[in-house]
């Protein structure tokens, strides 16, 4: 079953476009990148300055490498009054103080050439600028893709129904799974449609995908066939957040998903050493700690950790993604310290 993606609120009322004679994404990269660069400002809601400055700050910080906290297995509020004298079962957890960055390898030009030969000699930043404008429409197409569940053996190709013709068709179906499974547990594989140019322009460790340029069907509701690509990653459960971000580049949306409520913009737009940013972080961490018990905050931190492990495994060096992960981790570490009375450890 294809993992659902979020559709735009007005997508149901959008009439199907005519058959795409050529790739809108590939033909629109240059124009979209130019618009993106004209509109760009040094300080905006998606500016990655926080991640760059924060990375430098971490290198010189004297903070501990890890933080050890004790998390109640259940919220104290869930314990009956009659059992108030009973000891609450605790779990000791050691978390890295910061999410380290590996030494990333350069994106292979062969991957871009295989995905879009006409972009082989185009600078990577130019391609990414264009995709940042076009990505949301490409994601909307993915949200309308329907596929039948596969059997125990993955097929080499899969027929999928296309319900949105507003942008380029998906080029591949990713069969995402994890190698780390308990003994005697059946491996779970989840299917995610994707565009090869998005993957090729962000994932340095992903093998070069076979060329695939499916034409749009004549009308919505018809099918196309796309190749299936097995993809083993550390945390498949947070792959939807990662995939969506690569299409939208919305730091604010990713943080809201990871933290379960919108984060103050100052956390990802201002200098991490500024007094205002520190105040906003502390206030937001207090808000999260008051709204959820420690075991829920820990679960959110583990989701951020899974996102980080996926980014490292795939070789994604996108500054905006690392900005979002840095912010989410910092906020959750502070919220956990507040919730467990370990603020002195930070």
């Amino acid at each position: 079953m294809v993992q659902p993606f979020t559709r735009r609120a007005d997508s149901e009322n959008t009439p199907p476009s005519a058959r795409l004679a050529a790739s809108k994404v590939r033909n629109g990269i240059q124009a979209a990148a130019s618009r993106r660069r004209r509109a760009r400002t040094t300080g905006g809601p998606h500016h990655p300055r926080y991640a760059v400055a924060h990375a430098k700050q971490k290198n010189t910080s004297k903070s501990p490498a890890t933080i050890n906290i004790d998390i109640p297995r259940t919220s104290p509020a869930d314990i009956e009054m009659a059992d108030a004298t009973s000891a609450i079962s605790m779990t000791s957890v050691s978390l890295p103080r910061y999410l380290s960055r590996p030494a990333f390898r350069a994106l292979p030009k062969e991957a871009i050439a295989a995905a879009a030969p006409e972009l082989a000699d185009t600078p990577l930043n130019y391609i990414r600028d264009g995709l940042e404008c076009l990505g949301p429409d490409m994601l909307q197409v993915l949200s309308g893709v329907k596929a039948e569940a596969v059997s125990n053996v993955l097929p080499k190709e899969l027929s999928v129904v296309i319900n949105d013709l507003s942008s380029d068709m998906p080029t591949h179906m990713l069969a995402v799974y994890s190698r780390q499974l308990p003994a005697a547990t059946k491996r779970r594989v989840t299917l995610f449609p994707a565009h090869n140019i998005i993957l090729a322009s962000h994932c340095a460790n992903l093998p070069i995908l076979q060329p695939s340029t499916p034409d749009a069907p004549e009308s919505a509701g018809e099918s196309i066939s796309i190749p299936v690509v097995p993809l083993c990653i550390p945390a498949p459960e947070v792959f939807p957040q990662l995939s969506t971000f690569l299409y939208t580049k919305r730091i604010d949306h990713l943080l809201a998903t990871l933290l379960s409520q919108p984060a103050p913009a100052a956390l990802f737009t201002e200098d991490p050493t500024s007094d205002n940013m520190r105040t906003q972080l502390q206030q937001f961490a207090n808000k999260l700690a008051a709204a959820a018990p420690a075991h829920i905050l820990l679960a959110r931190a583990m989701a951020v950790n899974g996102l980080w492990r996926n980014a490292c495994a795939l070789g994604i060096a996108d500054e905006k993604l690392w900005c979002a992960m840095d912010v989410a981790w910092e906020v959750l570490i502070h919220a956990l310290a507040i919730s467990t009375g370990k603020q002195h450890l930070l």
Side-chain angles (χ1 to χ4, degrees):
M1 179 178 181
V2 176
Q3 182 73 26
F5 288 83
T6 303
R7 292 182 66 89
R8 285 198 326 218
D10 61 347
S11 61
E12 297 295 335
N13 298 321
T14 303
S17 63
R19 179 182 178 86
L20 302 179
S23 167
K24 285 188 176 183
V25 170
R26 295 175 182 178
N27 292 341
I29 286 287
Q30 184 171 1
S34 298
R35 292 196 305 272
R36 177 71 181 168
R37 293 188 176 190
R38 285 196 299 269
R40 179 180 291 161
T41 58
T42 56
H46 314 302
H47 193 262
R49 180 174 57 188
Y50 180 96
V52 177
H54 193 54
K56 293 178 181 177
Q57 181 190 30
K58 287 188 290 186
N59 290 335
T60 59
S61 173
K62 296 182 180 179
S63 298
T66 60
I67 177 172
N68 298 307
I69 55 178
D70 295 323
I71 305 292
R73 291 183 183 273
T74 57
S75 171
D78 295 334
I79 298 176
E80 295 292 340
M81 290 299 295
D83 297 328
T85 58
S86 301
I88 300 174
S89 179
M90 306 291 284
T91 299
S92 182
V93 179
S94 180
L95 299 173
R97 179 61 186 87
Y98 299 107
L99 298 178
S100 61
R101 300 194 188 194
F104 290 106
R105 62 185 287 241
L107 282 159
K109 291 185 177 180
E110 296 82 1
I112 297 291
E118 65 275 24
L119 299 177
D121 297 322
T122 304
L124 180 60
N125 287 342
Y126 208 65
I127 295 174
R128 286 180 172 174
D129 280 346
L131 290 174
E132 191 163 341
C133 292
L134 301 168
D137 288 336
M138 300 166 70
L139 182 63
Q140 180 177 319
V141 171
L142 299 188
S143 70
V145 172
K146 304 297 179 185
E148 295 295 329
V150 298
S151 61
N152 293 331
V153 179
L154 284 176
K156 292 184 177 180
E157 285 195 348
L158 193 64
S159 178
V160 298
V161 176
I162 302 297
N163 291 308
D164 192 309
L165 305 178
S166 60
S167 188
D168 273 29
M169 297 297 100
T171 61
H172 295 79
M173 182 67 77
L174 303 180
V176 178
Y177 67 98
S178 173
R179 184 174 287 115
Q180 300 174 347
L181 287 175
T185 300
K186 186 177 181 180
R187 188 180 305 281
R188 179 179 179 181
V189 177
T190 309
L191 300 177
F192 295 91
H195 293 85
N196 54 5
I197 188 61
I198 293 287
L199 301 172
S201 59
H202 290 96
C203 304
N205 295 340
L206 192 68
I208 296 175
L209 302 179
Q210 69 181 86
S212 174
T213 55
D215 291 328
E218 292 289 347
S219 59
E222 296 182 358
S223 300
I224 63 171
S225 291
I226 52 177
V228 176
V229 179
L231 179 61
C232 181
I233 56 176
E237 66 276 6
V238 289
F239 185 76
Q241 291 92 323
L242 177 59
S243 176
T244 297
F245 179 82
L246 293 181
Y247 280 87
T248 67
K249 296 299 181 73
R250 293 293 300 268
I251 294 178
D252 53 343
H253 287 181
L254 179 57
L255 286 176
T257 300
L258 295 172
L259 302 174
S260 296
Q261 51 184 292
L267 297 186
F268 52 91
T269 58
E270 295 191 11
D271 186 331
T273 62
S274 70
D275 290 339
N276 181 54
M277 196 287 301
R278 292 173 180 171
T279 300
Q280 294 272 355
L281 187 148
Q282 193 66 30
Q283 291 176 346
F284 189 48
N286 274 297
K287 183 179 179 181
L288 293 183
H295 68 280
I296 298 297
L297 296 174
L298 179 62
R300 293 173 185 168
M302 290 300 94
V304 176
N305 186 270
L307 187 69
W308 167 69
R309 287 183 289 129
N310 287 345
C312 293
L314 293 172
I316 302 175
D318 184 87
E319 281 295 343
K320 292 182 179 182
L321 176 61
W322 283 89
C323 170
M325 293 190 296
D326 277 344
V327 171
W329 190 254
E330 190 73 5
V331 168
L332 287 167
I333 287 293
H334 275 77
L336 278 166
I338 294 167
S339 181
T340 57
K342 297 292 182 69
Q343 287 180 275
H344 62 282
L345 295 179
L346 297 177

